[in-house]
């Protein structure tokens, strides 16, 4: 799916918040559980540490403070929100949805609320859905959360996945704006690649040994990621009549520094325009892009008028890009 924002359909991000668990887990900490080393992890992934939820923390415990910060920045209160989408593969439970739990916590009594499953691309899919509902006049104010507590579904005996992921959530408020904001989206899915990154035994399909842990073919996912980050961004920029030189800030999914470097080199984005925080958080799945947005805002790198390109990719296999002209003055 690919499309551009039509005239009279200006929607933008007016508030931004994020939350990560307090517990920092270093590479050396993980080396106590599996046969790995700080040197291997840094060289192959660029990750130095990640945050991991405590036993009592669930996704909504991260999503709620992130959402409250985003609403505060937008100057919007919970009851004003009429759409809540939580992009995640680790909701508090299968049902009720984490979005419904959030709606209750935020007193958003008039909101449609649901969770969305598109792997690490979830936040990009949710942005596109919220954009569509606002632009179509169905909703006025949307809260979009991307977040995961992947530590719950990792096999702590599997070094090939354990070292890559972390926990965290980010939230944004979407509202109509007089001009600029989102310019276009490109989203896709290739189900044939699904078994490269999957969670067998987590649903209604029965497996012989349902252990409910993430399984991944790292090389296949690496090949897919390096190809799709470039292709999706190029297709969308071209559809919007833009080039990579127009992009002021590039926010790729934070999976691995090598994947990010490969994509930025192929796209031709200067490194000072790229946001990278995977070294501190690992791959937080749907939390990755909003956490990177929040980091860029905190660093004073996100300013009105800037062209921001975001691309996510992940399980499905799925991918998604958005390009927008940033509209909000971000208080440091
Ligand atoms: C996972 C990834 C870092 C592995 O890097 P790689 O260079 O492809 O490494 P390989 O899988 O070829 O493994 C090389 C060796 O390191 C070993 N290894 C794997 N994980 C290890 C770890 N955590 N510590 C130490 N050694 C490890 C392998 O067993 C293999 O050993 P062998 O040569 O004796 O068989 C890389 O494939 C990757 O980043 N893939 C994308 C993953 C991703 O981003 N997933 C989420 C997408 S949303």
């Amino acid at each position: 799916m690919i499309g551009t924002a039509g005239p009279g359909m200006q929607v933008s991000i007016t508030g931004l918040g994020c939350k990560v668990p307090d517990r920092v887990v270093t590479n050396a900490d993980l080396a106590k559980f599996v046969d790995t080393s700080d040197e291997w992890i840094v060289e192959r992934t660029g990750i130095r540490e990640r945050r991991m939820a405590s036993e009592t923390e669930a996704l909504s415990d991260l999503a709620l403070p992130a959402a409250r910060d985003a609403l505060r920045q937008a100057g919007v209160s919970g009851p004003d929100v009429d759409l809540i989408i939580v992009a995640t593969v680790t909701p508090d439970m299968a049902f009720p949805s984490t979005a419904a739990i959030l709606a209750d916590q935020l007193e958003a009594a008039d909101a449609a609320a649901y969770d969305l499953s598109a792997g690490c691309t979830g936040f990009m899919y949710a942005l596109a859905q919220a954009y569509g509902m606002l632009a179509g006049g169905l909703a006025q104010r949307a809260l979009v959360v991307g977040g995961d507590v992947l530590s719950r579904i990792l096999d702590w005996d599997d070094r090939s996945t354990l070292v890559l992921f972390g926990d965290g959530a980010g939230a944004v408020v979407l509202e109509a704006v007089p001009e600029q904001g989102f310019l276009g989206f490109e989203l896709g899915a290739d189900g044939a690649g699904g078994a490269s990154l999957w969670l067998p035994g987590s649903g209604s399909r029965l497996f012989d040994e349902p252990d409910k842990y993430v399984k991944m073919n790292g090389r296949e996912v690496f090949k897919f990621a390096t190809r799709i980050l470039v292709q999706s961004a190029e297709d969308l920029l071209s559809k919007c009549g833009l080039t990579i030189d127009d992009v002021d800030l590039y926010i790729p999914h934070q999976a691995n520094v090598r994947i990010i470097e490969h994509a930025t080199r192929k796209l031709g984005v200067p490194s000072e325009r790229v946001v990278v925080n995977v070294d501190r958080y690992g791959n937080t799945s749907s939390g990755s892009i909003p956490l990177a947005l929040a980091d860029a805002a905190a660093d004073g790198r996100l300013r009105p008028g800037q062209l921001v390109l975001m691309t996510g990719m992940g399980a499905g296999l799925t991918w998604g890009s958005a390009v927008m002209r940033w509209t909000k003055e971000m208080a440091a």
Side-chain angles (χ1 to χ4, degrees), residues 198-262:
W198 64 334
L199 192 59
S202 58
S204 57
R205 173 74 57 208
L206 297 182
F207 287 79
D208 288 343
E209 294 173 43
D211 57 15
K212 297 183 190 171
Y213 293 131
V214 173
K215 298 194 189 328
M216 186 184 68
N217 180 332
R219 285 183 195 181
E220 282 304 313
V221 177
F222 193 96
K223 275 192 273 178
F224 160 73
T226 47
R227 177 177 58 80
I228 208 67
L229 285 182
V230 177
Q231 189 184 317
S232 176
E234 286 183 343
D235 288 352
L236 180 59
L237 288 171
S238 157
K239 180 83 180 173
C240 294
L242 296 162
T243 73
I244 200 71
D245 295 335
D246 297 315
V247 173
D248 298 301
L249 208 57
Y250 173 49
I251 306 190
H253 175 44
Q254 305 288 310
N256 177 326
V257 162
R258 279 161 61 214
I259 293 173
I260 294 173
E261 284 176 353
H262 185 277

Side-chain angles (χ1 to χ4, degrees), residues 315-326:
L317 297 167
T318 55
W319 65 90
S321 290
V323 66
M324 67 182 295
R325 187 75 66 185
W326 197 259

Side-chain angles (χ1 to χ4, degrees), residues 35-37 40-41 44-45 120 159-160 163-165 197 216 218-219 221-222 253 255-256 258-259 283 313-315:
D35 181 14
T36 190
S37 66
W40 191 96
I41 300 169
R44 304 287 176 121
T45 71
C120 297
R159 65 181 182 176
S160 71
V163 303
L164 300 178
F165 298 100
L197 180 53
M216 186 184 68
R219 285 183 195 181
V221 177
F222 193 96
H253 175 44
N256 177 326
R258 279 161 61 214
I259 293 173
N283 177 349
M313 55 82 195

Side-chain angles (χ1 to χ4, degrees), residues 107-318:
E107 299 177 7
D110 294 331
Y114 60 94
D115 293 352
L116 181 157
S117 169
C120 297
T121 319
F123 182 73
M124 302 309 300
Y125 270 59
L127 276 186
Q129 286 197 349
Y131 164 80
M133 292 210 210
L134 265 69
L138 281 179
Q140 307 301 314
R141 272 178 211 89
L143 174 71
V144 172
V145 177
D148 269 303
V149 183
L150 285 184
S151 57
R152 291 278 189 273
I153 55 169
L154 293 178
D155 181 349
W156 283 66
D157 292 326
D158 178 4
R159 65 181 182 176
S160 71
T161 51
L162 181 63
V163 303
L164 300 178
F165 298 100
D167 302 335
V172 293
V173 174
L174 263 64
E175 294 179 276
V177 290
E179 53 180 5
Q180 302 182 331
F182 287 102
L183 303 176
F185 293 91
E186 196 274 331
L187 306 172
D190 172 16
S196 301
L197 180 53
W198 64 334
L199 192 59
S202 58
S204 57
R205 173 74 57 208
L206 297 182
F207 287 79
D208 288 343
E209 294 173 43
D211 57 15
K212 297 183 190 171
Y213 293 131
V214 173
K215 298 194 189 328
M216 186 184 68
N217 180 332
R219 285 183 195 181
E220 282 304 313
V221 177
F222 193 96
K223 275 192 273 178
F224 160 73
T226 47
R227 177 177 58 80
I228 208 67
L229 285 182
V230 177
Q231 189 184 317
S232 176
E234 286 183 343
D235 288 352
L236 180 59
L237 288 171
S238 157
K239 180 83 180 173
C240 294
L242 296 162
T243 73
I244 200 71
D245 295 335
D246 297 315
V247 173
D248 298 301
L249 208 57
Y250 173 49
I251 306 190
H253 175 44
Q254 305 288 310
N256 177 326
V257 162
R258 279 161 61 214
I259 293 173
I260 294 173
E261 284 176 353
H262 185 277
T264 51
R265 203 170 43 246
K266 281 262 181 185
L267 285 168
V269 193
S271 58
E272 64 275 12
R273 296 190 195 167
V274 185
V275 180
V276 179
N277 65 8
V278 65
D279 51 321
R280 282 175 290 136
Y281 299 127
N283 177 349
T284 54
S285 184
S286 276
S288 150
I289 288 180
L291 276 173
L293 272 174
D295 260 14
D299 292 345
R301 300 176 69 190
L302 204 48
R303 292 186 299 277
Q306 283 184 325
L307 194 80
V308 180
L309 170 68
M310 305 171 241
T311 303
M313 55 82 195
L317 297 167
T318 55

